[in-house]
């Protein structure tokens, strides 16, 4: 969840790494720090609690131009509270080494006891400092830094993405990974280490993705890759296919608002080139499966966490209805611990925006260990999930900076809709129906734009509930997972307690909470369940609940029982979630903004959850 940056080259290394940290702040913003080695060989470390601007202020009083090597870190706290002592970089006992680390060292307690017996004195509560001392323990005279790192990592249980520097080897950075993403960027006479390409995209598009248990030694003359067992590696250089401009806010106040407004484009990006008019079907070549193999699939399992899990619930509705293929859904964090049953002819999909979600990667490996064919649906090109799965589909949503996911959700839903068409056409979906589904999908981007144009109106509605302490979100059928997602967005960024429920389940408990203080946000489209949902909402009205409804254009009934109504364009039932979720995203955004909160970086959360 934290951010790592390293630089070696002819420019001001401190300035470059701190600027790069700003582009990683969405990965962690409890504290930050930078370590550099001056031309006279001194190790300089500066650390600050809070946002990176605090670190910048401290560094503004120092002369750093002579430093051409540095490592930096922005932290999301796991071990130890957010403060300067616990901030990275950490040093060894001798003050020779500085280290930054993402991940968790699971056996740090046992290692710390061993190190204390050898004279180590720890200044922090972190597992990372233990790793710095452990490397220092092996860093005897005559031993190279990379060998000390290799020896230390062989004793480590857990996950790590690390960058290490030493005053004894002032022109070298050592980096290594296991279970936590790390890349090396190749510039002109300069090299970069980063936990995410967004940190270095303005400098280079040429990167090498480190694999698990790989190390790289980088100096001014080049780099050498090797394994934990000291086997030499010839790495593959990849080219990043997105622009630095995608990481800028432009005229928008927050990244989240920008990303909500981008959804007309990102939904189109998800289906562009994948609709085959001649066969009235979808083409998803990344699955690496023949039509005959796909036709044999008798069951699909969808696995994810957080917002992506809500995509899975929606995917179950879509694929089962369109293709009549049974779909099982699982939280990734629970999947590997319950000894799941995976039958023959089952296809597993793991879904993750970043492609680096630790629980989802663990579920992927568990499914493969049980003999399953596993596909990935991700936004993270070159990510761990994209590399370890047997095939998959990129959503092509572009960089998503806001911690609360928006455009990734609708892009993932679009991909599952395409899966429904693909599997449906091989089973029960007619050519005419296939064309109809495809035609309606192409109309969605324009309809999304019509909803985002109501942003100002939704802000006025947000003013009415900005001081609420609780909220209830209701939906039925395909709108139940949308209700879950709307509630999650509100609680993530506004800190208002919110729950999503199937509308009919309200009377089985939640109805006890409804009074004149409780906002109830309900999705009530003009479909086969409209009358039943309307009846559920009358129950809310009878108990003086403050009803906000998402309704179909032309509905002349809901305004009679609602405090506010947000109208959205018509589309077919299966595609309605791509529209009904947009007002909920905007509502959550405006409530949080009106409360004066940090919308893009909500407390206690980080964008990429790389710890279990």
């Amino acid at each position: 969840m934290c951010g790592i940056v390293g630089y070696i080259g002819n420019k001001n290394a401190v300035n470059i790494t701190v600027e790069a940290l700003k582009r990683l702040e969405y990965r962690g913003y409890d504290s930050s720090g930078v370590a550099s080695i001056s031309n006279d060989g001194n190790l300089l470390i500066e650390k600050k609690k809070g946002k990176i601007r605090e670190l910048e202020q401290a560094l503004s009083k120092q002369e750093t131009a002579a430093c051409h090597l540095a490592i930096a870190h922005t932290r999301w706290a796991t071990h130890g509270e957010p403060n300067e002592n616990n901030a990275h970089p950490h040093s060894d006992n001798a003050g020779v080494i500085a280290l930054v680390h993402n991940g968790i060292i699971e056996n740090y307690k046992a290692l710390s006891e061993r190190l204390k017996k050898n004279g180590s004195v720890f200044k922090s509560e972190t597992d990372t400092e233990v790793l710095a001392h452990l490397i220092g323990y092996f860093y005897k005279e005559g031993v190279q830094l990379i060998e000390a790192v290799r020896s230390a990592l062989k004793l480590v249980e857990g996950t790590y993405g690390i960058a290490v520097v030493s005053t004894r080897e002032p022109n070298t950075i050592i980096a290594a990974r296991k279970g936590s993403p790390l890349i090396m960027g190749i510039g002109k006479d300069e090299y970069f280490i980063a936990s995410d390409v967004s940190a270095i995209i303005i400098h280079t598009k040429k990167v090498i993705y480190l694999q698990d248990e790989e190390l790289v030694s980088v100096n001014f003359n080049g780099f050498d890759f090797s394994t934990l067992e000291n086997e030499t590696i010839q790495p593959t250089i990849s080219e990043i296919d997105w622009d630095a401009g995608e990481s800028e806010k432009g005229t928008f106040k927050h990244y989240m608002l920008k990303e909500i407004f981008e959804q007309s484009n990102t939904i189109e990006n998800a289906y562009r080139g994948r609709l085959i008019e001649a066969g009235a079907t979808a083409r998803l070549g990344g699955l690496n499966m023949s039509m005959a193999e796909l036709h044999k699939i008798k069951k699909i399992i969808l696995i994810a966490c957080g917002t992506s899990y809500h995509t899975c619930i929606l995917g179950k509705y879509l694929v089962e209805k369109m293709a009549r293929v049974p779909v099982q859904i699982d939280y990734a964090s629970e999947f590997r611990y319950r000894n799941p049953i995976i039958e023959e002819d089952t296809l597993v999909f793991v879904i993750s925006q970043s492609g680096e979600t630790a629980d989802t990667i663990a579920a992927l490996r568990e499914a493969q260990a049980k003999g399953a064919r596993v596909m990935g649906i991700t936004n993270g090109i070159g990510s761990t999930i994209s590399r370890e799965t047997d095939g998959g589909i990129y959503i092509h949503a572009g960089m998503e900076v806001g911690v609360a996911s928006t455009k990734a959700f609708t892009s993932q839903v679009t991909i599952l809709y395409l899966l429904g068409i693909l599997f449906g056409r091989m089973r029960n979906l007619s050519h005419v129906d296939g064309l109809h589904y495809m035609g309606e999908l192409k109309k969605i981007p324009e309809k999304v734009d019509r909803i985002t144009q109501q942003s100002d109106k939704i802000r006025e509605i947000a003013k009415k509930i900005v001081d609420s302490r609780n909220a209830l979100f209701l939906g039925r059928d395909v709108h139940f997972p949308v209700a879950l997602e709307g509630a999650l967005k509100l609680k993530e960024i506004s800190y208002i307690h919110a729950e999503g429920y199937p509308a009919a389940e309200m009377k089985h408990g939640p109805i006890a909470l409804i009074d004149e203080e409780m906002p109830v946000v309900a999705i009530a489209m003009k479909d086969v369940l409209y009358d039943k949902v309307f009846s559920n909402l009358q129950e809310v009205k009878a108990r003086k609940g403050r009803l906000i409804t998402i309704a179909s254009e032309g509905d002349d009934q809901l305004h009679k029982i609602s405090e506010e109504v947000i109208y959205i364009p018509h589309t077919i039932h299966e595609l309605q979630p791509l529209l009904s979720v947009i007002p909920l995203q905007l509502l959550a955004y405006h409530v949080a903004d009106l409360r004066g909160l940090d919308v893009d970086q909500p407390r206690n959360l980080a964008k990429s959850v790389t710890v279990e």
Side-chain angles (χ1 to χ4, degrees), residues 274-283 418 420-426 429-438:
R274 290 168 168 165
L275 299 176
I276 310 303
E277 299 276 345
T281 189
R283 175 173 52 206
L418 296 182
I421 293 175
L422 175 63
F423 280 97
R425 285 291 289 128
M426 289 188 288
L429 201 63
S430 71
H431 188 277
V432 171
D433 287 341
L435 286 176
H436 178 60
Y437 279 131
M438 292 163 56

Side-chain angles (χ1 to χ4, degrees), residues 489-507:
K489 288 290 138 314
L490 189 66
K491 73 179 80 171
E492 279 181 318
I493 62 172
S494 76
Y495 317 142
I496 294 173
H497 173 254
E499 297 298 333
Y501 268 87
E505 286 294 305
M506 177 186 59
K507 52 188 170 287

Side-chain angles (χ1 to χ4, degrees), residues 344-419:
E344 192 176 356
D345 298 326
T346 295
L347 188 60
V348 176
F349 285 88
V350 292
I351 306 177
S352 164
Q353 187 281 136
S354 66
E356 301 292 353
T357 309
D359 286 318
T360 308
I361 292 169
L364 148 65
R365 292 168 179 166
E366 176 66 15
Q368 287 179 328
K370 291 186 175 296
R373 194 163 188 167
V374 184
M375 302 293 163
I377 298 176
T378 181
N379 198 34
I381 295 173
S383 63
T384 300
I385 284 177
S386 69
R387 295 196 306 272
E388 292 195 13
T389 44
D390 302 302
I393 309 161
Y394 286 120
I395 65 174
H396 297 305
M399 184 179 179
E400 188 178 63
V401 176
V403 167
S405 181
T406 52
K407 64 179 180 177
F409 174 77
T410 49
S411 294
Q412 290 168 354
V413 171
T414 303
I415 295 300
L416 292 176
Y417 182 83
L418 296 182
L419 276 177

Side-chain angles (χ1 to χ4, degrees), residues 284-341:
L284 299 169
L287 297 180
N288 301 325
M289 295 177 70
S290 68
M291 296 299 285
E293 289 175 311
L294 289 169
H295 198 272
K296 289 180 182 178
I297 298 301
K298 296 177 181 176
K299 181 180 179 182
I300 292 172
I301 300 176
L302 303 176
I303 303 171
C305 301
T307 284
S308 296
Y309 179 73
H310 297 158
T311 303
C312 292
I313 304 173
L314 191 45
K316 177 178 175 67
Y317 284 102
L318 295 177
V319 175
E320 288 189 344
K321 182 172 191 249
M322 298 166 72
R324 307 307 298 159
V325 177
V327 177
Q328 173 187 319
I329 54 177
D330 263 287
Y331 279 113
S333 55
E334 296 295 324
F335 181 81
R336 66 168 166 154
Y337 291 111
R338 65 175 186 80
N339 194 19
I341 299 169

